[in-house]
Every structure is written in structure tokens, then in C-alpha cells.
Amino acid sequence: MDLATFKQSLTEATPPAGLTPALEALWWDAKGDWDKAHGCVDDESGADAARIHAYLHRKEGDQDNAGYWYRTAGAVFYSGSLNAEWGELAAERLKD
């Protein structure tokens, strides 16, 4: 799936089948459901889930918690817009 197809899927009521937890979290976030997005990665481990956690907590406005998750993911605190970060995160994970 490419980024355009992923974005197009946002018109649907449910995410496409077979998404990773990270991509499903980004999908729900784009639909405006932060809680459901967070739930997708809340029990996941690893750098990928940590990186999505970082983005979600930055979006939430909890910069300290976001900083923890960026460090856990081995990433620097993102300084661009939330929309740009979402797009980069989605595009990177769709390549895999």
C-alpha cells in the first residue's frame, strides 16, 4: 500500500486489514480518535511502537512524556509540524 492509498482509506469506517499496530494507530489518529490510536500501540514493544507513542504524546501536548518515548525509540524530538511528522511516519512504515 502506498501513502495515497493509505490516505484514501481514511474515508472508510474501519482501517484496512493487515495494518501493523503502528499504521493502525496512525490511521485512527488521522480519523481524530487519539484514544483508539494510543490503544493500538499501548501494549506494543519496540522502537516502532515507541516512535508512534512519541508522536501521539507530542500531539496530546504532553512534551515530557513525548520526550521519553522519542528517547525510547532512539529518535530525536521532532521539531516540524504534527502533519509533517504524521506523513513521514506513515510513509516510512508503508515502505516496509
Side-chain angles (χ1 to χ4, degrees):
M1 176 181 305
D2 63 15
L3 185 57
T5 304
F6 185 68
K7 287 181 176 180
Q8 179 62 35
S9 76
L10 294 169
T11 62
E12 302 298 327
T14 58
L19 294 181
T20 64
L23 281 168
E24 189 172 342
L26 291 170
W27 193 91
W28 284 114
D29 174 68
K31 296 284 281 185
D33 195 332
W34 188 96
D35 289 325
K36 196 170 273 191
H38 188 260
C40 291
V41 292
D42 201 29
D43 292 329
E44 296 293 318
S45 60
D48 200 40
R51 185 62 185 80
I52 302 303
H53 255 110
Y55 159 78
L56 290 170
H57 286 292
R58 183 170 91 95
K59 184 171 188 176
E60 177 190 36
D62 188 345
Q63 304 309 305
D64 290 337
N65 200 2
Y68 165 80
W69 287 109
Y70 281 108
R71 289 188 302 277
T72 300
V76 297
F77 201 101
Y78 195 88
S79 61
S81 73
L82 289 166
N83 285 338
E85 186 175 16
W86 185 94
E88 288 179 24
L89 290 169
E92 288 168 3
R93 278 141 191 87
L94 287 164
K95 284 188 221 174
D96 296 339

